[in-house]
Amino acid sequence: MSIRIETLDAFFNPKSVAIVGASSNFAKIGGRPVHNMKISGYGGNVYPVNPSAAEIQGLPAFPAVGDIPGPVDMAVIVVPMPHVEPALTACIDKGVKAAIVLSSGYAEISEDGARAQRRLADLGAEGGLRIMGPNCMGVMNTGTGMIATFISAIGDTGPETGTISVAAQSGAFGGHCFTLARERGLGLNLWATMGNQCDVEFSDCLAYMAQDPGTSVVLGYMEGVQDADKLIEALEIARAAEKPVVLMKVGRSEVGTAAAASHTASLTGSDAVFDALLRQYNVFRPHSIDEMFDVGYAFAGGQLPKSARTGIITVSGGVGVIMADAAEDAGLELPPLPETTQERMKALVPFAGTRNPLDVTAQFINDATLMETMYGALLEEGDYESAVCFLAGVGLNPLMMKELEPSLEAVRQRFPDQLHMLAILTTPERRARIQAMGYLCYEDPSRAIHALGVLARYSAALKRGPSAPPPDLPSGAPRLTAGTAINEVEGKRILAAAGVPAVPERIVGSSSEAAVAAEAAGFPVVMKIVSPDIRHKSEIGGVILDVASREAAETAYRDLLARAEAHAPDARIDGVLVAPMVSGGVETILGVVRDPVFGPVVMFGLGGVFVEVLKDVTFRVAPFGIDEARRMIREVRGYPMLQGVRGAPPADEEALADALAQLSAFAAANADVLETIDVNPFIVLPKGEGAVAVDALIAVRENAGA
Amino acid sequence: MSIRIETLDAFFNPKSVAIVGASSNFAKIGGRPVHNMKISGYGGNVYPVNPSAAEIQGLPAFPAVGDIPGPVDMAVIVVPMPHVEPALTACIDKGVKAAIVLSSGYAEISEDGARAQRRLADLGAEGGLRIMGPNCMGVMNTGTGMIATFISAIGDTGPETGTISVAAQSGAFGGHCFTLARERGLGLNLWATMGNQCDVEFSDCLAYMAQDPGTSVVLGYMEGVQDADKLIEALEIARAAEKPVVLMKVGRSEVGTAAAASHTASLTGSDAVFDALLRQYNVFRPHSIDEMFDVGYAFAGGQLPKSARTGIITVSGGVGVIMADAAEDAGLELPPLPETTQERMKALVPFAGTRNPLDVTAQFINDATLMETMYGALLEEGDYESAVCFLAGVGLNPLMMKELEPSLEAVRQRFPDQLHMLAILTTPERRARIQAMGYLCYEDPSRAIHALGVLARYSAALKRGPSAPPPDLPSGAPRLTAGTAINEVEGKRILAAAGVPAVPERIVGSSSEAAVAAEAAGFPVVMKIVSPDIRHKSEIGGVILDVASREAAETAYRDLLARAEAHAPDARIDGVLVAPMVSGGVETILGVVRDPVFGPVVMFGLGGVFVEVLKDVTFRVAPFGIDEARRMIREVRGYPMLQGVRGAPPADEEALADALAQLSAFAAANADVLETIDVNPFIVLPKGEGAVAVDALIAVRENAGA
């Protein structure tokens, strides 16, 4: 089922909310949502529902949802589990569009609970009622004061408003994000926790927030993927809206259940695939909560650097070097200031470092104008798209800040198109004032730089625009069918027809045919036994290389049959394969595996130790276009092999990228039956000469199915 | 010159301090040290020196140092540069032991300044006066209130005392550390900034602090190494004292001036060597200031985990997974709780994760005893040496904390031998209270875990005890002499005599000798032309492999001479080398390069793409023992190659480690003349079969010298 944004609107922008199980005690779970709506100034109607009270927290209460006079957009269900189903039925009867079930006792508890949860889902689906939860902590829209949650962290003043939206599968994590945002002085916009996700999923909320104009960035938290297509749809929506997503996905699952015999299968873990998917959609995946908020805060500023060219200005030369080291890690560029600027700066502060970082030194304590002069020169003459300024503990010194703040304000106004960051220790009040000038403020300079690097990468991805679409399959591309065994020769023929080049080869049935075929292919040739029953040919001597003459081809034919007979007397023999030897080029491995979540996934790695020892591989969910294929190729550590080492010519990267994209299209088109493809080796010849599959195995499933 | 701890005592524990250039205005550089000593309750004598004042800040002032009645241990020099030399002379005449020169205008400014600085150094050396600075920010001992610095961050109350000592080459960085420590509520013990280091260096202060009983951890900051031997001496002192060091060394310098033609030279950069040295001494090198303080704070707690076995307890299952991911990154172990414990925990909270992390869930809000019960069970039954507990924003809720604090206190007292960390958002007051119970408190759980990982590694290194000493050189090990050319054969003979095994080989001068030598070596053999003038033999066809018979050896001899004659008619020919072919084994590269700072450095890497494409190499400063050699081998990414891949047997790691240690001893013994050694390939045979150098180049310098 695809995402239906319009049905989610009632969760985030309801005009009226019923609270079923409302309590007069605002410290109770049933009391808190009522209380929170009141203190946050929600402008819609709030209808407490409680059969044993006429008034709750100053509002008229109703015995049941059906008794409410006007229309109800959304209901918050806080009754004990046995009463949830009747409450939802009442909501459906009333025409309520959305229900948040805070009640717990479902799939998180027991198999009985899971059954009850499925009943909720069925009820909602039949009655046209969208359900968030059960076992969730609710939803908020800080802009409208619609605070449908019982988290205690809300406190007595309600949340601060802002542009960061939070979608968290886990209520506890969502609650922690709320607290952390407040501790960091960050305003939230929408906030939702999905709990057990009987209906509305993480992907739904992500998509809703991504298309919401009041949201500048979505912070997401997820533990597993329920519906891969929906997640991809949500990521597409975020990409189309150019809305940055910072997505915490926890856990590193081991190799999935994908089958076994190929290299690729032993290396695919769904976490690696998930990671690749996020890269593909320019989603930032943090590794810690601090990092999540550092980067989310930077995105929330709403400004992106136009390039990675960064200027650093510092009051400590040493910290400048720490920042330069961090900039390298973050992929930022620190081009030097022009010589003439450097000379002028040296004239101002003779012992300053002036290249970039530019070191104001402690001299600005004696001469407060220095900061404005030097910061201005940095941006005026350095052609940087962002600046990071380290001010140490100056922010804690009111006298110094009194002199410095006007300088900071002046520089910011003079350079509105650049992104400005400060690394400064200061008080919350002064921090707020400096942020209002348009500076992003961090305490630690390395963390500022790290966040800037993420923004610069995102900005570059936006500039590149959408990736090329996956290629079309060639018109003659075969369709795989379940339950068939595909030998090596057929495998290569299928791939070639699907647009993945393979060595031309023939199967022969006699020594004289072998001689003719070898001559036609051009010497030297390679000859192999072909049998569906002999998988590891080389172990039985079933491959003969460098066959250099007609006579040798005849001998080789006879030898191969004899070896097959000796080692595998019962094997069905399809013949002997004759193919030209491919010499030169770089050995690579292309693969397809079936990920339990994302379906067919394409793997790429270099041959030899790169895959076997270093696990140096990368993945993409199929299908994808040639741009993604090019990026894939450059992600592996062994990439220099393709650029040419030890005097070798550069390899035909375009041919390789094309093959990967074609393979992905073929895998996607056959997702229902495909198990694995292992193209090993896939030889990439020197630039302009193409690339060829030398060996290939295609395995299909016994029965078709998703 | 080696470190003389006793001469540094006057800087850190003076009984009397003269301030030369003291000012009545306590906001001025000359006024601040006087003021700071006063507010911090320094118990020794403070003597302001100023010819134009009789009293300064309530203390009697003296016209000159010589006029002070009693003895003076230390002088703080704050006069303008031209007056510094006379002031130091007066100090020497008075018998002052130590002088801190805060004045600037020296090497940081100009060549003239550098000359003046050298005069200060000479003056001090001749007069027996140790000098800190010039251009530094001074020294403090918070325990005695001896605050000989002008940094403004001191404020009106003086520093908080504690056990963290800070040694910072840069005054600005030292000042920032001071501020940051106060912002984080961390107490300092000793603090020193060295500035231009005309006499006292970073290494001196590091050594002093490491041996100081009031110091639990040293936070260091350095930009470059002045004297490598002194740094190593300081690190030895810290290691012997079992005092952890957290050392920020900024900047990544490019490949030094080391010469060029070998693989190794093109890979050694002094930063990689420095990094290896710190690993060797179990010094933690942070990459950011936050990381420096996160880890320094953890060490300052004074407790180390006895092993890497860690239990995680959390109020959010999701954050538990984030912590588990972080624990893997940090090298911690999270063994599961016993099944019986898990069942008991499940009975308490049916939907809790109980393996490890143990999830208390939000249920502890309803039942405050759960935390104590479950935390207690974790440590009682889980056999962990440390625990990290995530409490989210609970610390901001006074009601909940009132219930929780007694539980935390009880658990801490019940398990005094384990290291306890909390990840909690809370107020500074509550944080101080929880820390006083014996918890290390962090806001971000991943940062807590990262710091714990560093402590666990340090603890494991302490347990291992001191590394084995470098091996002795064999009695017949040759001594290299400057200005000699060493050919391949001599090179291998020298290495073999030095304890690095090499293939047995002979040089022959005729085809018949070749036949005899080949037969004696055992077929097949390899034959090579030997000439000091032909460096890249294989390019001229000067190497013939797989020579399998007497006849073939004779032919090969003639062919090699003919090729040499054709391609290099003027080359001096020493003969033809005959050696057995080495087959099987793993190709590695051993090297020695001369680091501009540390002298001879040993490099290790695997052959083929590992060094050439992946730059997968590691370094150690020579000499070192076999333990370090073993650790070196395991540091490279390609290490699995030595364990055996694709069914290959494990390689003889011990023989490899032995060769590395022997090579390091040989390099150190010849440090004065050695330029580079390149042993490539060094073949490591299967376990028990040893290892051999197949090719080796030794280059010595034209002239001996350090």
Side-chain angles (χ1 to χ4, degrees):
Chain A
M1 168 129 1
S2 63
I3 293 167
R4 293 167 293 143
I5 294 285
E6 69 291 352
T7 65
L8 302 169
D9 208 44
F11 287 108
F12 294 100
N13 284 299
K15 294 199 176 54
S16 49
V17 177
I19 290 149
V20 183
S23 164
S24 296
N25 181 345
F26 65 74
K28 284 203 169 172
I29 288 185
R32 280 188 188 155
V34 182
H35 177 70
N36 290 337
M37 301 268 210
K38 282 178 62 186
I39 59 168
S40 303
Y42 175 58
N45 292 315
V46 178
Y47 302 115
V49 175
N50 187 328
S52 52
E55 192 198 284
I56 284 189
Q57 299 187 42
L59 296 170
F62 302 88
V65 171
D67 301 320
I68 296 170
V72 174
D73 284 351
M74 203 243 297
V76 181
I77 313 290
V78 212
V79 294
M81 183 199 175
H83 302 286
V84 170
E85 285 176 56
L88 290 179
T89 305
C91 286
I92 291 167
D93 292 345
K94 173 72 182 169
V96 174
K97 298 168 195 155
I100 301 173
V101 181
L102 303 179
S103 320
S104 58
Y106 290 88
E108 80 280 10
I109 283 274
S110 64
E111 201 35 62
D112 276 355
R115 273 189 292 274
Q117 185 171 312
R118 283 192 291 275
R119 285 200 302 274
L120 300 193
D122 292 344
L123 205 56
E126 284 160 24
L129 175 74
R130 298 300 312 255
I131 301 175
M132 184 97 66
N135 187 36
C136 74
M137 293 210 188
V139 172
M140 39 179 134
N141 179 337
T142 68
T144 64
M146 197 288 298
I147 313 297
T149 174
F150 62 91
I151 62 169
S152 60
I154 297 287
D156 295 331
T157 51
E160 265 184 85
T161 61
T163 62
I164 298 175
S165 290
V166 174
Q169 203 173 312
S170 144
F173 194 89
H176 189 56
C177 286
F178 179 87
T179 306
L180 213 46
R182 194 170 49 196
E183 288 294 299
R184 288 189 172 215
L186 303 180
L188 297 181
N189 178 34
L190 308 178
W191 179 94
T193 64
M194 295 97 231
N196 297 5
Q197 308 189 99
C198 85
D199 169 21
V200 175
E201 293 175 28
F202 171 80
S203 303
D204 293 296
C205 294
L206 172 58
Y208 187 88
M209 292 169 180
Q211 59 80 51
D212 169 60
T215 295
S216 61
V217 56
V218 184
L219 303 192
Y221 169 90
M222 66 192 305
E223 292 172 0
V225 180
Q226 276 196 306
D227 180 333
D229 290 341
K230 236 177 163 177
L231 177 62
I232 288 173
E233 190 185 350
L235 295 175
E236 293 278 12
I237 289 170
R239 180 156 73 179
E242 302 197 348
K243 200 66 65 79
V245 177
V246 177
L247 181 46
M248 174 74 88
K249 155 77 166 56
V250 299
R252 290 168 189 144
S253 55
E254 281 306 295
V255 182
T257 51
S262 69
H263 280 109
T264 47
S266 66
L267 290 164
T268 307
S270 60
D271 192 72
V273 173
F274 190 89
D275 210 75
L277 182 75
L278 295 191
R279 277 200 300 283
Q280 196 170 339
Y281 283 93
N282 310 318
V283 169
F284 179 68
R285 183 180 185 186
H287 285 155
S288 73
I289 304 172
D290 261 2
E291 195 184 19
M292 182 178 189
F293 275 80
D294 281 356
V295 172
Y297 163 65
F299 274 124
Q303 192 180 7
L304 294 173
K306 292 199 191 70
S307 79
R309 293 177 62 95
T310 301
I312 292 179
I313 181 164
T314 176
V315 298
S316 152
V319 177
V321 185
I322 294 173
M323 293 165 82
D325 287 351
E328 187 175 287
D329 295 343
L332 295 171
E333 294 159 24
L334 303 182
L337 279 168
E339 288 294 341
T340 51
T341 312
Q342 293 196 48
E343 281 159 27
R344 272 198 316 114
M345 298 297 105
K346 278 267 185 233
L348 289 171
V349 186
F351 46 97
T354 55
R355 200 178 142 82
N356 181 23
L358 176 61
D359 184 8
V360 182
T361 77
Q363 280 304 311
F364 81 99
I365 299 175
N366 300 326
D367 177 359
T369 67
L370 269 183
M371 181 57 77
E372 188 171 341
T373 308
M374 293 177 79
Y375 197 158
L378 181 85
L379 286 182
E380 185 72 69
E381 300 167 35
D383 191 21
Y384 306 121
E385 297 295 348
S386 58
V388 188
C389 174
F390 176 69
L391 286 175
V394 173
L396 297 167
N397 186 319
L399 285 175
M400 279 196 244
M401 284 312 286
K402 204 178 150 190
E403 299 204 64
L404 207 53
E405 279 185 36
S407 297
L408 292 175
E409 178 127 49
V411 173
R412 187 66 185 92
Q413 288 184 359
R414 198 171 140 208
F415 300 99
D417 296 337
Q418 278 83 2
L419 182 74
H420 296 248
M421 284 185 165
L422 289 189
I424 185 170
L425 301 177
T426 190
T427 59
E429 300 70 35
R430 190 166 286 115
R431 182 189 154 106
R433 205 156 61 225
I434 297 171
Q435 288 184 137
M437 293 177 195
Y439 287 91
L440 294 171
C441 293
Y442 291 80
E443 292 201 346
D444 187 82
S446 305
R447 286 167 66 180
I449 297 237
H450 176 62
L452 178 59
V454 176
L455 264 58
R457 279 203 300 284
Y458 183 80
S459 175
L462 281 192
K463 249 193 200 163
R464 283 199 305 266
S467 291
D472 293 327
L473 280 180
S475 54
R479 183 79 180 79
L480 299 177
T481 48
T484 51
I486 300 172
N487 72 23
E488 183 195 332
V489 180
E490 291 165 53
K492 268 177 278 188
R493 200 175 293 145
I494 290 169
L495 288 180
V500 179
V503 282
E505 55 193 15
R506 280 185 57 197
I507 296 189
V508 296
S510 70
S511 59
S512 57
E513 269 179 50
V516 172
E519 187 152 48
F523 294 110
V525 297
V526 57
M527 292 173 61
K528 305 180 193 179
I529 197 81
V530 180
S531 161
D533 302 320
I534 302 175
R535 213 175 152 108
H536 298 289
K537 299 176 188 67
S538 47
E539 288 176 11
I540 66 150
V543 179
I544 299 179
L545 302 175
D546 267 322
V547 178
S549 66
R550 287 182 64 104
E551 295 69 37
E554 286 173 6
T555 311
Y557 180 89
R558 285 188 293 266
D559 286 352
L560 287 169
L561 287 192
R563 290 172 192 176
E565 175 64 26
H567 290 91
D570 299 330
R572 293 162 291 172
I573 304 296
D574 294 334
V576 165
L577 180 153
V578 180
M581 290 280 289
V582 179
S583 63
V586 178
E587 270 197 29
T588 67
I589 300 177
L590 321 186
V592 177
V593 284
R594 162 180 294 277
D595 184 86
V597 171
F598 294 103
V601 165
V602 174
M603 187 215 78
F604 167 68
L606 287 157
V609 297
F610 288 98
V611 167
E612 290 200 33
V613 177
L614 298 166
K615 318 292 182 211
D616 181 22
V617 294
T618 185
F619 300 94
R620 283 293 184 287
V621 175
F624 51 82
I626 194 159
D627 302 349
E628 277 306 316
R630 288 191 195 109
R631 276 193 282 278
M632 247 180 120
I633 294 166
R634 283 159 201 212
E635 276 172 10
V636 298
R637 288 202 298 269
Y639 172 63
M641 290 293 287
L642 291 163
Q643 297 176 291
V645 291
R646 296 198 215 187
D652 199 329
E653 247 183 275
E654 274 305 289
L656 172 60
D658 192 59
L660 282 164
Q662 289 290 350
L663 183 64
S664 83
F666 177 71
N670 292 281
D672 54 341
V673 292
L674 183 61
E675 195 64 53
T676 59
I677 300 178
D678 187 17
V679 186
N680 179 13
F682 184 77
I683 305 280
V684 187
L685 296 166
K687 197 165 181 171
E689 297 178 25
V692 279
V694 171
D695 206 342
L697 281 176
I698 300 178
V700 294
R701 310 174 87 185
E702 281 306 306
N703 303 294
Chain B
M1 168 131 358
S2 64
I3 293 168
R4 292 168 295 143
I5 294 284
E6 69 291 353
T7 65
L8 302 170
D9 208 44
F11 288 108
F12 295 99
N13 283 300
K15 293 200 176 56
S16 50
V17 177
I19 291 153
V20 183
S23 163
S24 296
N25 181 345
F26 65 74
K28 285 203 167 171
I29 288 185
R32 279 188 189 153
V34 181
H35 178 70
N36 290 338
M37 303 267 208
K38 283 178 63 186
I39 60 170
S40 303
Y42 173 59
N45 292 315
V46 178
Y47 301 115
V49 175
N50 186 327
S52 52
E55 192 198 282
I56 284 188
Q57 298 187 45
L59 296 170
F62 301 87
V65 171
D67 301 320
I68 297 170
V72 175
D73 284 351
M74 201 240 302
V76 181
I77 313 290
V78 214
V79 294
M81 184 203 176
H83 302 288
V84 171
E85 284 175 58
L88 291 179
T89 304
C91 285
I92 291 167
D93 292 345
K94 173 72 183 170
V96 175
K97 298 168 196 155
I100 301 173
V101 181
L102 304 178
S103 319
S104 58
Y106 290 87
E108 82 280 10
I109 283 273
S110 65
E111 200 35 59
D112 276 355
R115 271 188 294 274
Q117 184 171 313
R118 282 192 291 276
R119 284 198 303 274
L120 300 193
D122 292 344
L123 205 57
E126 283 159 25
L129 175 75
R130 299 297 316 252
I131 301 175
M132 184 98 66
N135 186 36
C136 76
M137 293 211 188
V139 171
M140 40 181 133
N141 179 338
T142 67
T144 64
M146 198 288 297
I147 312 298
T149 173
F150 62 90
I151 63 170
S152 60
I154 297 287
D156 295 331
T157 51
E160 265 184 84
T161 61
T163 62
I164 298 176
S165 290
V166 173
Q169 202 173 313
S170 142
F173 194 88
H176 189 56
C177 286
F178 180 87
T179 306
L180 213 48
R182 193 169 51 196
E183 288 294 299
R184 288 189 173 215
L186 304 179
L188 297 181
N189 178 33
L190 308 178
W191 179 95
T193 63
M194 294 98 231
N196 296 5
Q197 308 189 102
C198 84
D199 169 22
V200 175
E201 292 175 29
F202 171 81
S203 303
D204 293 297
C205 294
L206 172 58
Y208 187 87
M209 292 169 179
Q211 60 80 52
D212 170 62
T215 295
S216 60
V217 56
V218 183
L219 303 191
Y221 169 90
M222 66 192 304
E223 292 172 1
V225 181
Q226 277 196 306
D227 180 332
D229 290 342
K230 237 177 162 177
L231 177 63
I232 288 172
E233 189 186 350
L235 295 174
E236 293 278 12
I237 289 170
R239 179 156 73 180
E242 303 197 348
K243 201 66 64 79
V245 177
V246 177
L247 180 47
M248 174 75 87
K249 155 75 165 60
V250 299
R252 292 167 187 144
S253 55
E254 280 307 294
V255 181
T257 52
S262 70
H263 281 108
T264 47
S266 65
L267 289 164
T268 308
S270 60
D271 193 72
V273 173
F274 189 89
D275 210 75
L277 182 74
L278 296 191
R279 278 200 300 283
Q280 195 170 339
Y281 282 93
N282 310 319
V283 169
F284 178 68
R285 184 181 184 185
H287 284 155
S288 73
I289 304 172
D290 261 2
E291 195 184 19
M292 182 178 190
F293 274 80
D294 281 356
V295 172
Y297 163 65
F299 273 124
Q303 192 179 7
L304 293 174
K306 291 198 191 71
S307 79
R309 293 177 61 95
T310 301
I312 291 178
I313 180 163
T314 176
V315 298
S316 153
V319 177
V321 184
I322 294 173
M323 292 165 82
D325 287 350
E328 188 176 286
D329 295 342
L332 295 170
E333 293 160 24
L334 303 182
L337 279 167
E339 288 294 339
T340 51
T341 313
Q342 293 196 46
E343 280 159 27
R344 273 195 319 112
M345 298 297 104
K346 279 265 185 235
L348 290 171
V349 185
F351 46 97
T354 56
R355 200 178 142 79
N356 181 21
L358 176 60
D359 184 8
V360 182
T361 79
Q363 281 304 310
F364 81 98
I365 299 173
N366 301 328
D367 177 0
T369 67
L370 269 183
M371 182 56 77
E372 188 171 343
T373 309
M374 294 177 77
Y375 197 158
L378 181 85
L379 286 183
E380 186 71 69
E381 299 168 37
D383 191 22
Y384 305 121
E385 297 295 349
S386 59
V388 188
C389 174
F390 176 69
L391 286 175
V394 174
L396 297 167
N397 186 319
L399 286 174
M400 279 195 242
M401 284 312 287
K402 205 180 151 187
E403 300 203 66
L404 206 55
E405 279 184 38
S407 298
L408 291 174
E409 178 126 47
V411 174
R412 188 66 186 91
Q413 287 184 359
R414 200 169 139 210
F415 301 98
D417 296 336
Q418 278 83 1
L419 182 73
H420 296 249
M421 282 184 168
L422 288 189
I424 185 170
L425 301 177
T426 190
T427 59
E429 299 69 36
R430 190 166 285 113
R431 181 188 154 106
R433 205 156 62 225
I434 297 170
Q435 288 183 139
M437 293 176 193
Y439 287 92
L440 294 172
C441 293
Y442 291 81
E443 292 202 345
D444 186 82
S446 305
R447 285 167 66 179
I449 296 233
H450 175 61
L452 178 58
V454 175
L455 264 59
R457 277 203 302 285
Y458 183 80
S459 174
L462 282 192
K463 247 192 202 163
R464 281 199 307 265
S467 291
D472 293 327
L473 279 180
S475 55
R479 183 78 181 79
L480 297 178
T481 48
T484 51
I486 301 172
N487 72 23
E488 183 195 333
V489 180
E490 291 165 53
K492 268 179 278 187
R493 199 174 294 145
I494 290 169
L495 288 179
V500 179
V503 281
E505 55 192 14
R506 278 186 58 197
I507 295 189
V508 295
S510 70
S511 59
S512 57
E513 270 179 49
V516 172
E519 187 151 50
F523 295 110
V525 297
V526 57
M527 292 171 61
K528 304 182 194 177
I529 196 82
V530 180
S531 162
D533 302 319
I534 302 175
R535 211 174 156 110
H536 297 290
K537 301 176 188 65
S538 47
E539 288 177 11
I540 66 151
V543 179
I544 299 179
L545 302 174
D546 268 323
V547 178
S549 67
R550 286 182 65 102
E551 295 69 36
E554 287 173 7
T555 310
Y557 181 87
R558 285 188 293 266
D559 286 352
L560 287 170
L561 287 192
R563 289 173 193 174
E565 175 64 26
H567 290 91
D570 298 330
R572 291 163 293 172
I573 304 296
D574 295 333
V576 165
L577 180 155
V578 180
M581 291 279 288
V582 179
S583 62
V586 178
E587 269 198 30
T588 67
I589 300 178
L590 321 186
V592 178
V593 283
R594 161 180 295 279
D595 185 85
V597 171
F598 294 103
V601 165
V602 173
M603 187 216 79
F604 167 68
L606 288 156
V609 297
F610 288 99
V611 167
E612 290 200 32
V613 177
L614 298 165
K615 318 293 182 211
D616 181 22
V617 294
T618 185
F619 300 94
R620 282 294 184 287
V621 175
F624 50 83
I626 195 159
D627 301 350
E628 277 305 316
R630 288 191 195 108
R631 276 193 282 278
M632 243 181 124
I633 294 166
R634 282 158 200 213
E635 275 172 10
V636 298
R637 288 202 300 267
Y639 172 63
M641 290 293 290
L642 290 163
Q643 297 176 292
V645 292
R646 297 198 214 184
D652 199 330
E653 246 182 275
E654 274 305 288
L656 172 59
D658 193 58
L660 283 164
Q662 289 289 349
L663 183 63
S664 82
F666 177 70
N670 292 281
D672 54 342
V673 291
L674 183 61
E675 195 65 54
T676 59
I677 300 178
D678 188 17
V679 187
N680 179 12
F682 185 76
I683 306 280
V684 188
L685 295 165
K687 199 167 180 168
E689 298 178 26
V692 278
V694 170
D695 206 342
L697 280 176
I698 300 179
V700 293
R701 311 174 86 184
E702 281 306 305
N703 302 293

